[in-house]
Amino acid sequence: MPSSYNVRSRARERNSVLSRPEFVSLNQPPRGGGAVGGGGAGGPSESRGGARRPGQIKHQTSQPSEEPADNGTKMPEEDCMQLNPSFKGIAINSLLAIDICLSKRMGACANTSSSWGGCRSMVGMLALTGHGITWIIGTIVCLTRSNTLAGQEVLVNLLLALIVDILTVAGVQRLVKRKGPWEMAPSFLDCIAMDLYSFPAAHASRAAMVSKFLLSHLVLAVPLRILLVLWALLVGVSRVLLGKHHLTDMVCGFALGMLHFSLMETVWLSSSTCQNIISISTLSWSPFF
């Protein structure tokens, strides 16, 4: 009878839930009570438990040796991933993702195989009307054919505004170095005008500055004024359709163009200064006579 009882108790202990490794800590005696209960009632139970569960005792003896290893391999704080980023970072990353997604969708003329690939040449011609080289050459030609002092004053200030716009946009693009939504090499004219990166949009800046400049210093009819504003908007959008710029690049380009106009209005050159510049450029300037 005792032997059958021991067999049943061992089978019951083997199938017990407390014998699993994850419940080992529940069966361990207190750290301070091991010496006190060694000779009392706790002694036979501990000896019986040690005879019944040898695998459990082996796991208990190996567990304290693993704890120092875990404490010694604690990762530094700078290597830990930030699970709670700031609201500002989430908002900026979300806006950039939306900007990239919308810009890629609007790049319908980025390649000949795009949805509007057949209109790529026409959109390219529209973008060419806002190129810096085009406006500089056109302004110089008009300046050589102008015979009035007022006209020469406006054209010289416009030429200086174009040069300032090209240099400023090129400098900001060199600092930011943001690439366009589509991977494409800049064209030959873009390399000449130093329009190598995406932010800010040089064509949008130039179109906004020129349109505001002409609206302020030329007497134009209402339909022409509306067409001039519409032209500036279409030039900025054309570069997004060609896959050269993002939407935020175009918006910042318009804002930078208005800033350039305000700057040129502040440092406006007088008619006498413009005549001196024209004389120096044509090698006919004589400061003593």
Side-chain angles (χ1 to χ4, degrees), residues 128-289:
L128 186 62
T129 59
H131 203 281
I133 302 300
T134 305
W135 274 97
I136 286 179
I137 294 176
T139 304
I140 292 175
V141 171
C142 294
L143 185 59
T144 55
R145 296 187 177 183
S146 178
N147 297 323
T148 60
L149 296 179
Q152 291 176 357
E153 179 184 353
V154 172
L155 290 172
V156 168
N157 283 277
L158 177 59
L159 182 62
L160 293 178
L162 291 171
I163 294 174
V164 169
D165 179 80
I166 291 176
L167 295 178
T168 305
V169 172
V172 175
Q173 287 184 355
R174 290 281 184 177
L175 290 176
V176 179
K177 292 185 178 180
R178 187 187 188 187
K179 295 184 179 180
W182 298 92
E183 293 291 338
M184 55 182 64
S187 62
F188 177 72
L189 290 178
D190 290 340
C191 292
I192 295 177
M194 296 179 290
D195 188 9
L196 303 177
Y197 295 97
S198 177
F199 181 87
H203 288 67
S205 173
R206 199 168 302 114
M209 187 268 296
V210 169
S211 61
K212 183 65 176 176
F213 191 95
L214 296 180
L215 289 174
S216 300
H217 298 283
L218 294 182
V219 180
L220 300 174
V222 175
L224 291 178
R225 298 174 74 89
I226 295 175
L227 287 176
L228 193 58
V229 174
L230 200 62
W231 165 80
L233 293 175
L234 291 177
V235 167
V237 174
S238 65
R239 297 288 289 181
V240 179
L241 293 176
L242 292 173
K244 298 286 188 179
H245 299 284
H246 300 86
L247 287 174
T248 52
D249 303 336
M250 179 186 67
V251 174
C252 292
F254 285 143
L256 188 61
M258 300 303 293
L259 182 62
H260 289 158
F261 169 77
S262 301
L263 177 63
M264 290 308 302
E265 289 294 315
T266 305
V267 295
W268 184 268
L269 301 181
S270 62
S271 178
S272 59
T273 306
C274 294
Q275 293 301 316
N276 292 332
I277 293 175
I278 294 174
S279 301
I280 293 172
S281 62
T282 56
L283 301 178
S284 60
W285 182 56
S286 56
F288 299 105
F289 300 100

